[in-house]
Amino acid sequence: MPRTRLMTLVEVAVMAAIGGILSIFPVIKLWPQGGSVSLVMVPVALVAFRRGWVAGVGCGLLVGLIDLMLGPFILHPVQVLLDYPVSFAALGLAGLFRPRWEQERSARSLGRRLASGIVLAGLVRFIIHFISGVIWFGAFAPKAFSPALYSFFYNISYIFPEVLVTLVIMLLLTVKAPRLVLKP
Amino acid sequence: MSRLNHPVIGQYIPADSFLHRLDPRAKLVFVFVFMMIVFLAKNAAGYSLLVGVALSGVLLSRIPLPMILRGIKPVLYLIILTALLHLGMTRGGDVWWELGPITVYEQGVVQATVISLRFLILVLMGTLLTLTTSPMELTDGLERLLCPLTRVGVPAQDLALMMSIALRFIPTLWEEMDKIMMAQRARGADFDSGHLLRRVKSYIPVLIPLFISAFRRAEELALAMEARGYRGGKGRTRIRELRWKKEDTILLVVLAVLSISLWWLRG
């Protein structure tokens, strides 16, 4: 097994462990059913920018599965798949904006890339949680009730602040510890 | 925020029961299929069958009831909310109760009960799985179940390896984060007050040392694995072997019988 591949595997695993820890460690508590703002996206975004989007997706997948094992919130078979492995794996897509050449590493370009990557990841995650919410709530709520509306407001209420918090932390990390985010 | 003082991760409760001894593969398949066939139940007979299976699961797990209830607690709020929605919004049958603009119909009560029951059964089965199966066992089970997907390029073995490493490192890194937070508190750091941005910023002096130490551990581990000739993938021997037993086959037979009966009762 090539050196960098093994290094990447182990780094992804360790970051997934931190993701698992951060996911049960709320910075702000919002809702009783797990809708709290946590730093869970930070390690996934970090891996995605450090090692590329494939590593990021792998890390997200692991964080989702760990989260599922630690505090399962199970309502519907499709909901379990979408809410845990799929939505967290989507966070790794932030790595699509990883800077590849030296000139892309200037402060301004980097800030833009971080922002685009994290917003994209947050958006895809929101869409997946939204679909999942519509599916499971649709299976339980009365016909006259709109699951889409509920799902939209519930999910945006914590994903939006979480994306903001992740963005702030990632920007601060790149300023204060650039070698963590961008492997020299 | 309180200190992170108990690194008890997950819900797993070690014990020696029928459910604990089952193969994780069998349990995973059972719970996944069970969650889908729950939606087949349309009448009292179907539901009593499901409740019977769920209750025998509780009995066979030999886990004290309060522990099971604790696993269900976070979902109770949702169950109550949906039950109330059904009570208030479903029409049909006799009027049972009237209070101002709210009218509760017979059908509403029936719907609310049925939906809460379905909810409870689903949550109960998921909780039973994580209560009786350790995360490591779940990982081994998932790896084996995903094995056929390696042919289409899903790196099941690599994922399982990373999962085991991650699970192994959670308590270590948890302790580390706790230590760093205490050290920063000793220097006067404040994680609990101030507006949002300030609170978020206060985590930077925790995250940087945590990430640096985690990456250092990762490098050491990768070196150690390389030194011992880890090549990954095929031919890797494992410390825990899964063994499929008679009971596991029985569980799957029960699952098949249950699915067929629910399908048949549906009509």
Side-chain angles (χ1 to χ4, degrees):
Chain A
M1 181 175 272
R3 184 87 208 276
T4 42
R5 185 171 150 76
L6 183 59
M7 250 334 273
T8 309
L9 281 187
V10 180
E11 271 188 14
V12 167
V14 174
M15 283 299 116
I18 293 185
I21 294 170
L22 291 177
S23 76
I24 43 178
F25 184 83
V27 179
I28 313 153
K29 256 224 166 315
L30 277 180
W31 304 107
Q33 68 286 39
S36 55
V37 176
S38 72
L39 302 177
V40 64
M41 287 171 74
V42 174
V44 183
L46 187 62
V47 165
F49 276 99
R50 208 177 137 94
R51 297 283 184 180
W53 70 272
V54 179
V57 167
C59 186
L61 189 71
L62 293 177
V63 172
L65 288 174
I66 292 173
D67 204 27
L68 179 61
M69 288 176 189
L70 297 188
F73 193 70
I74 294 166
L75 306 161
H76 192 281
V78 183
Q79 171 262 343
V80 172
L81 284 181
L82 288 182
D83 273 357
Y84 291 98
V86 178
S87 70
F88 279 98
L91 293 181
L93 295 178
L96 288 172
F97 288 89
R98 179 164 81 130
R100 252 161 271 175
W101 299 283
E102 209 47 55
Q103 61 265 36
E104 287 175 348
R105 292 187 172 194
S106 70
R108 256 185 69 202
S109 152
L110 201 61
R112 246 201 327 261
R113 283 174 168 272
L114 273 173
S116 331
I118 290 166
V119 168
L120 171 79
L123 196 68
V124 177
R125 181 180 175 205
F126 169 75
I127 293 170
I128 293 168
H129 279 306
F130 172 75
I131 295 172
S132 145
V134 172
I135 290 173
W136 75 258
F137 212 65
F140 289 105
K143 298 224 159 35
F145 191 83
S146 160
L149 209 65
Y150 170 86
S151 182
F152 183 84
F153 284 110
Y154 169 68
N155 284 308
I156 205 136
S157 74
Y158 71 96
I159 292 181
F160 182 66
E162 209 158 284
V163 168
L164 274 185
V165 165
T166 308
L167 186 58
V168 170
I169 295 241
M170 284 301 288
L171 287 173
L172 285 171
L173 278 181
T174 7
V175 174
K176 300 206 167 167
R179 287 174 58 197
L180 267 187
V181 186
L182 304 164
K183 263 200 84 49
Chain B
M1 199 183 302
S2 67
R3 235 192 92 195
L4 307 161
N5 46 5
H6 48 121
V8 183
I9 304 286
Q11 298 185 302
Y12 176 60
I13 297 170
D16 187 34
S17 76
F18 180 76
L19 282 199
H20 283 81
R21 280 190 303 265
L22 285 171
D23 191 293
R25 284 169 290 184
K27 282 190 268 191
L28 278 166
V29 169
F30 185 89
V31 170
F32 197 75
V33 176
F34 185 88
M35 286 175 58
M36 291 195 275
I37 57 177
V38 161
F39 292 88
L40 285 176
K42 292 270 168 6
N43 46 33
Y47 273 99
S48 21
L49 206 58
L50 289 174
V51 171
V53 171
L55 287 184
S56 27
V58 172
L59 284 179
L60 286 173
S61 72
R62 286 173 57 189
I63 284 175
L65 207 58
M67 302 246 190
I68 296 177
L69 289 180
R70 208 171 50 195
I72 297 177
K73 218 171 74 184
V75 194
L76 268 183
Y77 152 86
L78 261 178
I79 297 181
I80 294 167
L81 177 80
T82 29
L84 286 177
L85 277 175
H86 278 282
L87 274 182
M89 291 169 88
T90 312
R91 268 145 235 284
D94 303 330
V95 174
W96 278 18
W97 195 56
E98 230 170 332
L99 186 91
I102 303 162
T103 327
V104 174
Y105 294 89
E106 185 189 350
Q107 277 300 311
V109 178
V110 172
Q111 272 292 336
T113 321
V114 165
I115 295 287
S116 317
L117 205 58
R118 186 192 280 176
F119 240 139
L120 266 176
I121 294 170
L122 280 170
V123 178
L124 190 64
M125 289 314 266
T127 308
L128 275 180
L129 177 68
T130 47
L131 281 172
T132 62
T133 323
S134 71
M136 278 293 180
E137 282 182 291
L138 285 175
T139 307
D140 289 345
L142 268 179
E143 178 187 1
R144 291 311 192 73
L145 289 176
L146 293 179
C147 235
L149 290 180
T150 8
R151 292 213 190 113
V152 289
V154 178
Q157 276 145 344
D158 288 342
L159 281 173
L161 172 82
M162 289 193 280
M163 192 68 181
S164 325
I165 296 175
L167 291 172
R168 162 63 188 77
F169 272 97
I170 284 179
T172 317
L173 291 170
W174 181 289
E175 215 166 279
E176 190 129 332
M177 184 169 153
D178 192 22
K179 262 190 209 146
I180 297 171
M181 283 184 83
M182 281 197 290
Q184 298 292 10
R185 277 215 180 91
R187 298 173 61 204
D190 181 7
F191 301 108
D192 311 320
S193 58
H195 55 84
L196 185 63
L197 188 65
R198 208 173 142 153
R199 219 190 283 189
V200 168
K201 267 179 153 173
S202 71
Y203 279 92
I204 291 285
V206 176
L207 290 177
I208 292 181
L210 183 67
F211 285 141
I212 290 179
S213 126
F215 283 132
R216 194 175 297 147
R217 277 173 200 279
E219 194 175 352
E220 277 166 15
L221 182 62
L223 268 176
M225 287 167 77
E226 209 181 21
R228 284 161 184 77
Y230 176 79
R231 285 186 316 276
K234 269 204 183 115
R236 185 162 75 90
T237 53
R238 48 193 69 239
I239 197 161
R240 299 172 304 272
E241 288 284 349
L242 295 179
R243 273 214 317 277
W244 190 269
K245 295 178 293 290
K246 203 172 59 197
E247 289 88 338
D248 304 308
T249 317
I250 295 174
L251 186 74
L252 292 193
V253 172
V254 169
L255 180 65
V257 172
L258 183 71
S259 315
I260 295 166
S261 344
L262 278 177
W263 185 264
W264 182 65
L265 283 170
R266 178 184 59 118

